[in-house]
Amino acid sequence: MKNLNFKIVAVLLILISGFSVAQKLDRSVVPQPGPAPVINIPDAQTFTLKNGLKVFVVPNNKLPLVAFNLIVDRDPILEKENAGYISVAGQLMRTGTTTRTKDQIDNEIDLIGATLNASSSSIYASSLKKNVPKLLELMSDITINAKFKQDELDKILQRTKSGLAARKENPDQISQVVRKKVYYGEGHPYSESETESSVKNITLELCQNYYNNFFRPNISYLAVVGDITLKEAQELVEKYFSKWEAKDVPKFSFNQPTAPIVSKISLVDRPNSVQSTIVVGHPINLPRNSPDVLKASVTNTILGGGVFRLFENLREKHGYTYGAYSMLGTDELVGHFSVFTSTRNEVTDSAVGQILFEMKRIRNEAVPEDELQKAINYMSGSFALSLENPQTIANFAVNIDRYKLPKNFYKDYLKNISVITSEDVKAAAAKFIRPDNSHIIVVGKAAEIADKLKRFSVTKIDYYDADGNKVDIAALKIPAGLTAKEVIDRHLVAIGGRENILKIKDKTTKMSTTFNGMKLNIELLQKAPNKLKQTTSFSGQEQVTIFDGERGIQKTMMGTQEVLGKELEVFKAEASMDLLLDLEKHNVKAELKSMEKIGGKDAYKIELVFPLGTIVAQYFDVESGLKVRDVKEVETPQGPMSISTDYSDYKEIEGIKFPSVVKQNLGPMVFEMKVDSVLINTGLSDNLFVITK
């Protein structure tokens, strides 16, 4: 009974106490944040080999795994006309050594269930603890004994070229190429991007020289994380990396890029784009050890480093975009502040206006305390989550040494951001966010957006191509009096003349390419005046498209589908053997729209307008008269998509020139097809084009 009475009294005391606190609580006052939690980040254990390799060890025995991350801390290098060779050298490192071929490396890695990746400035490897000696044998072999071979270089260059072709169709990647060019300027390593011409200049010797001169232990760090002791790590690293020879590594210095005196607009014209990709920003001077780093980071988080002001304004309030974000990049050489978003053509200028509005607002208005605390909480949570990965602790140790950070930089991180004030944010914004001195980079349809963008700058718009080269718009003017018919007639003469074209009664074209390591074959049959059959074979599957002169169908594994409407109209045009010979007969109107750069060369753009309103753009090289590109828009489940087809390397067959390389861009995918054969007038039977009901 005594115990029961005690419990009742205790409960009553708790209730009374709680009631008293509730009585005093003023919910109209925002609670003050508590003190920042103290973070116990263990210090990495460290040692240095005689060759200068600095090693940081973070033991963690929760799992029987060990990871090794090697970082080569070299200066940025100006690659000039060979842009891309350093990246290629990094890819070559994983393709063989003086003792092993690529296949042998792959097999040995697979045998122990490990991971081993290399780049131009790092190597990462991980495995179960029991396999660490074998893993380090392989990792050190690649590090010390890499051997570059021409056949492997050729494979990498081919993949690089395919990637460049895809990049030219990706507005986000195009915007980054131009961003680097205008932020940093010619002669700065951060301004460079590989191009088709620079990739052609990459040689085995260039790659080998990079590896020999810059992949050295005396400028490198090795982070070791996992189920391993300092003693074990020291014995293993000594055994496998002590033979890595130190060498004086070249040092470089470059001018400090600055924000423009007034805002400048850089535009990449993509005539078939239905939306614009926007980047607004400028270079900044913000090395990682700057006392302004945390204040600037909180400022950027409020603006757009998380789901904050830019997102709420452009997406939630105005509905201009699916997302808008900002980035404030620290760097020892030169950093940058940038805002990124994509939006519809018709609201491109409005989106730019709101971006600049938010940049000005964070400079001119004090950030409310609740919004400031929201950003600090967001950063604190992200930081705490990152600590769950032991690799983070190792990275902290490397960063402190590499960037000369205060020893307790990460241990005091939460405490230091918790005391950042609204005044600190305003001061950081004034220093690092320059709305009146920004580059405004837009990739989109110039005809719809250029005039509206002019209000953001007192200088003229600078035009660029997809490789970041300036385009002289004034020089791309159609000669006075030139008509679409004259351009088309010149094209017909260039490929062989009307008389020879009219002799073609049927044609069989066979093309092939590879996709994900598998071969794709296309057979295209055409018969005058307008019959077509295309068979695409890939990995044991077939897709057949037939147009019999009136009807069109597509046969796939999902069944047979009738082609109707505008799609049928384009289908019929593609089947016609004499479309350009007699546009009036097909009731197609041709309009000479502009001159543009295609593959670095001038080309006339002609739009063919079909009776149902379908528009197909065709581009003809100014110098040769040959057709170099087709662009058409198709409907997909994800919405409208532009498909462009490039034609090159024309070869003459029976008096007519045909392209021997056909490159098709389907959104992010690029297929470069080789024309294996073109056969003319073989007597194709009408039965080949019959559509069965």
Side-chain angles (χ1 to χ4, degrees), residues 206-241:
L206 275 171
C207 298
Q208 190 70 54
N209 286 342
Y210 168 77
Y211 168 71
N212 292 340
N213 292 326
F214 293 94
F215 226 83
R216 292 294 166 180
N218 44 303
I219 60 165
S220 297
Y221 297 86
L222 179 63
V224 184
V225 178
D227 189 9
I228 192 169
T229 66
L230 176 64
K231 182 180 178 182
E232 289 170 331
Q234 194 159 6
E235 289 175 353
L236 287 165
V237 174
E238 285 272 7
K239 178 179 179 180
Y240 290 105
F241 288 92

Coordinates of all heavy atoms in Angstrom, one line a residue, residues 206-241:
L206 N 51.2 11.2 -75.3 CA 50.6 12.2 -74.4 C 50.2 11.6 -73.1 O 50.5 12.1 -72.0 CB 49.5 13.0 -75.1 CG 49.8 14.1 -76.0 CD1 48.5 14.6 -76.7 CD2 50.3 15.3 -75.2
C207 N 49.4 10.5 -73.2 CA 48.9 9.9 -72.0 C 50.0 9.3 -71.2 O 49.9 9.4 -69.9 CB 47.9 8.8 -72.4 SG 46.4 9.4 -73.4
Q208 N 51.0 8.7 -71.8 CA 52.1 8.1 -71.1 C 52.9 9.1 -70.3 O 53.3 9.0 -69.2 CB 53.0 7.3 -72.0 CG 54.0 6.4 -71.3 CD 53.4 5.2 -70.6 OE1 52.7 4.5 -71.2 NE2 53.7 5.1 -69.3
N209 N 53.1 10.3 -71.0 CA 53.9 11.3 -70.4 C 53.1 11.9 -69.1 O 53.8 12.2 -68.1 CB 54.1 12.5 -71.4 CG 55.2 12.1 -72.4 OD1 56.0 11.2 -72.2 ND2 55.2 12.8 -73.5
Y210 N 51.8 12.0 -69.2 CA 51.0 12.5 -68.1 C 51.2 11.5 -66.9 O 51.5 11.9 -65.8 CB 49.5 12.6 -68.4 CG 48.7 12.8 -67.1 CD1 48.7 14.0 -66.5 CD2 48.1 11.7 -66.5 CE1 48.0 14.2 -65.3 CE2 47.4 11.8 -65.3 CZ 47.4 13.1 -64.7 OH 46.7 13.2 -63.5
Y211 N 51.1 10.2 -67.1 CA 51.2 9.2 -66.1 C 52.6 9.3 -65.5 O 52.8 9.3 -64.3 CB 50.9 7.8 -66.7 CG 51.3 6.7 -65.8 CD1 50.6 6.4 -64.6 CD2 52.4 5.9 -66.1 CE1 51.0 5.4 -63.8 CE2 52.8 4.8 -65.3 CZ 52.1 4.6 -64.1 OH 52.5 3.5 -63.3
N212 N 53.6 9.4 -66.4 CA 55.0 9.4 -65.9 C 55.4 10.6 -65.0 O 56.1 10.5 -64.1 CB 56.0 9.3 -67.1 CG 55.9 7.9 -67.8 OD1 55.5 7.0 -67.2 ND2 56.4 7.9 -69.0
N213 N 54.8 11.7 -65.4 CA 55.2 13.0 -64.8 C 54.4 13.4 -63.6 O 54.8 14.1 -62.7 CB 55.1 14.1 -65.8 CG 56.2 14.0 -66.9 OD1 57.3 13.5 -66.6 ND2 55.9 14.4 -68.1
F214 N 53.1 12.9 -63.5 CA 52.2 13.5 -62.5 C 51.7 12.4 -61.5 O 51.2 12.8 -60.4 CB 51.0 14.2 -63.1 CG 51.4 15.4 -63.9 CD1 51.6 15.4 -65.2 CD2 51.5 16.6 -63.2 CE1 52.0 16.5 -65.9 CE2 51.9 17.8 -63.9 CZ 52.1 17.7 -65.2
F215 N 51.7 11.1 -61.9 CA 51.2 10.1 -60.9 C 52.4 9.7 -60.0 O 53.1 8.7 -60.3 CB 50.7 8.9 -61.7 CG 49.3 8.5 -61.2 CD1 48.2 9.1 -61.6 CD2 49.3 7.4 -60.3 CE1 46.9 8.7 -61.1 CE2 48.0 7.0 -59.8 CZ 46.9 7.6 -60.2
R216 N 52.6 10.5 -58.9 CA 53.8 10.3 -58.1 C 53.4 10.3 -56.6 O 52.5 11.1 -56.2 CB 54.8 11.4 -58.4 CG 55.4 11.3 -59.8 CD 56.3 10.1 -59.9 NE 56.6 9.8 -61.3 CZ 57.4 8.7 -61.6 NH1 57.8 7.9 -60.7 NH2 57.6 8.5 -62.9
P217 N 54.1 9.6 -55.8 CA 53.7 9.4 -54.4 C 53.9 10.7 -53.5 O 53.2 10.9 -52.6 CB 54.6 8.3 -53.9 CG 55.8 8.3 -54.8 CD 55.2 8.7 -56.1
N218 N 54.9 11.5 -53.9 CA 55.2 12.7 -53.1 C 54.2 13.8 -53.2 O 54.3 14.8 -52.4 CB 56.6 13.2 -53.5 CG 56.8 13.3 -55.0 OD1 56.7 12.3 -55.7 ND2 57.1 14.5 -55.5
I219 N 53.2 13.7 -54.1 CA 52.0 14.6 -54.1 C 50.7 13.9 -53.8 O 49.7 14.4 -54.2 CB 52.0 15.4 -55.4 CG1 51.8 14.4 -56.6 CG2 53.2 16.3 -55.6 CD1 51.4 15.1 -57.9
S220 N 50.8 12.7 -53.2 CA 49.6 11.8 -53.1 C 49.2 11.5 -51.7 O 50.1 11.6 -50.7 CB 49.8 10.5 -53.8 OG 50.0 10.7 -55.2
Y221 N 47.9 11.2 -51.5 CA 47.4 10.8 -50.2 C 46.7 9.5 -50.4 O 46.1 9.2 -51.4 CB 46.3 11.8 -49.7 CG 46.9 13.2 -49.5 CD1 47.0 14.1 -50.5 CD2 47.2 13.6 -48.2 CE1 47.4 15.4 -50.3 CE2 47.7 14.9 -48.0 CZ 47.8 15.8 -49.0 OH 48.3 17.1 -48.8
L222 N 46.8 8.6 -49.3 CA 46.1 7.3 -49.3 C 45.3 7.2 -48.1 O 45.8 7.3 -46.9 CB 47.1 6.2 -49.4 CG 46.5 4.8 -49.4 CD1 45.7 4.5 -50.6 CD2 47.6 3.7 -49.3
A223 N 44.0 7.2 -48.2 CA 43.0 7.0 -47.1 C 42.7 5.5 -47.0 O 42.3 4.9 -48.0 CB 41.8 7.8 -47.3
V224 N 42.9 4.9 -45.8 CA 42.6 3.5 -45.5 C 41.5 3.5 -44.5 O 41.6 4.0 -43.4 CB 43.8 2.8 -45.0 CG1 43.6 1.3 -44.9 CG2 45.0 3.0 -46.0
V225 N 40.4 2.8 -44.8 CA 39.2 2.8 -43.9 C 38.7 1.4 -43.8 O 38.6 0.7 -44.8 CB 38.1 3.7 -44.5 CG1 36.9 3.6 -43.6 CG2 38.6 5.1 -44.6
G226 N 38.4 0.9 -42.6 CA 37.8 -0.4 -42.4 C 38.4 -1.2 -41.3 O 39.0 -0.7 -40.4
D227 N 38.2 -2.5 -41.5 CA 38.6 -3.5 -40.5 C 40.1 -3.7 -40.6 O 40.6 -4.8 -41.0 CB 37.8 -4.8 -40.7 CG 38.0 -5.8 -39.5 OD1 38.6 -5.4 -38.5 OD2 37.5 -6.9 -39.7
I228 N 40.9 -2.8 -40.1 CA 42.3 -2.8 -40.2 C 42.9 -2.0 -39.1 O 42.4 -0.9 -38.7 CB 42.8 -2.4 -41.6 CG1 44.3 -2.7 -41.8 CG2 42.5 -0.9 -41.8 CD1 44.7 -2.5 -43.3
T229 N 44.1 -2.4 -38.5 CA 44.7 -1.6 -37.5 C 45.8 -0.8 -38.2 O 46.2 -1.0 -39.3 CB 45.4 -2.5 -36.5 OG1 46.4 -3.3 -37.1 CG2 44.4 -3.5 -35.8
L230 N 46.3 0.2 -37.4 CA 47.4 1.0 -37.9 C 48.6 0.2 -38.3 O 49.3 0.4 -39.3 CB 47.8 2.1 -36.9 CG 49.0 3.0 -37.3 CD1 48.7 3.8 -38.5 CD2 49.4 3.9 -36.1
K231 N 49.0 -0.8 -37.4 CA 50.1 -1.6 -37.7 C 49.9 -2.4 -39.0 O 50.9 -2.5 -39.8 CB 50.4 -2.6 -36.5 CG 51.6 -3.4 -36.7 CD 51.8 -4.3 -35.4 CE 53.0 -5.3 -35.6 NZ 53.2 -6.2 -34.5
E232 N 48.7 -3.0 -39.1 CA 48.5 -3.8 -40.3 C 48.6 -3.0 -41.6 O 49.2 -3.4 -42.6 CB 47.1 -4.5 -40.2 CG 47.0 -5.6 -39.2 CD 45.6 -6.0 -39.0 OE1 44.6 -5.2 -39.1 OE2 45.3 -7.2 -38.6
A233 N 48.0 -1.8 -41.5 CA 48.0 -0.9 -42.6 C 49.4 -0.5 -43.0 O 49.8 -0.4 -44.2 CB 47.1 0.4 -42.3
Q234 N 50.2 -0.2 -42.0 CA 51.6 0.3 -42.2 C 52.4 -0.8 -42.9 O 53.1 -0.6 -43.9 CB 52.2 0.7 -40.9 CG 53.5 1.5 -41.1 CD 53.9 2.3 -39.9 OE1 53.2 2.3 -38.9 NE2 54.9 3.1 -40.1
E235 N 52.2 -2.0 -42.4 CA 53.0 -3.2 -43.0 C 52.6 -3.4 -44.5 O 53.4 -3.6 -45.3 CB 52.8 -4.4 -42.2 CG 53.4 -4.4 -40.8 CD 53.1 -5.6 -40.0 OE1 52.2 -6.4 -40.4 OE2 53.7 -5.8 -38.9
L236 N 51.3 -3.3 -44.7 CA 50.8 -3.6 -46.1 C 51.2 -2.5 -47.1 O 51.6 -2.7 -48.2 CB 49.3 -3.8 -46.1 CG 48.8 -5.1 -45.5 CD1 47.3 -5.1 -45.2 CD2 49.1 -6.3 -46.4
V237 N 51.0 -1.3 -46.6 CA 51.3 -0.1 -47.5 C 52.8 -0.1 -47.8 O 53.2 0.2 -48.9 CB 50.7 1.2 -46.9 CG1 51.2 2.4 -47.8 CG2 49.2 1.2 -46.8
E238 N 53.6 -0.3 -46.8 CA 55.0 -0.3 -47.0 C 55.4 -1.4 -48.0 O 56.2 -1.2 -48.9 CB 55.7 -0.6 -45.6 CG 55.8 0.5 -44.7 CD 57.0 1.4 -44.9 OE1 57.7 1.2 -45.9 OE2 57.2 2.3 -44.1
K239 N 54.8 -2.6 -47.9 CA 55.1 -3.7 -48.7 C 54.8 -3.4 -50.2 O 55.6 -3.7 -51.1 CB 54.4 -4.9 -48.3 CG 54.6 -6.2 -49.2 CD 53.9 -7.4 -48.6 CE 54.1 -8.6 -49.5 NZ 53.4 -9.8 -49.0
Y240 N 53.6 -2.8 -50.4 CA 53.1 -2.7 -51.8 C 53.4 -1.3 -52.5 O 53.3 -1.2 -53.7 CB 51.6 -3.0 -51.9 CG 51.4 -4.5 -51.6 CD1 50.8 -4.9 -50.4 CD2 51.7 -5.4 -52.6 CE1 50.6 -6.3 -50.2 CE2 51.4 -6.8 -52.4 CZ 50.9 -7.2 -51.2 OH 50.7 -8.5 -51.0
F241 N 53.7 -0.3 -51.7 CA 53.8 1.1 -52.3 C 55.2 1.7 -52.0 O 55.4 2.8 -52.6 CB 52.7 2.0 -51.8 CG 51.3 1.7 -52.3 CD1 50.5 0.8 -51.6 CD2 50.9 2.2 -53.5 CE1 49.2 0.5 -52.1 CE2 49.6 1.9 -54.0 CZ 48.8 1.1 -53.3

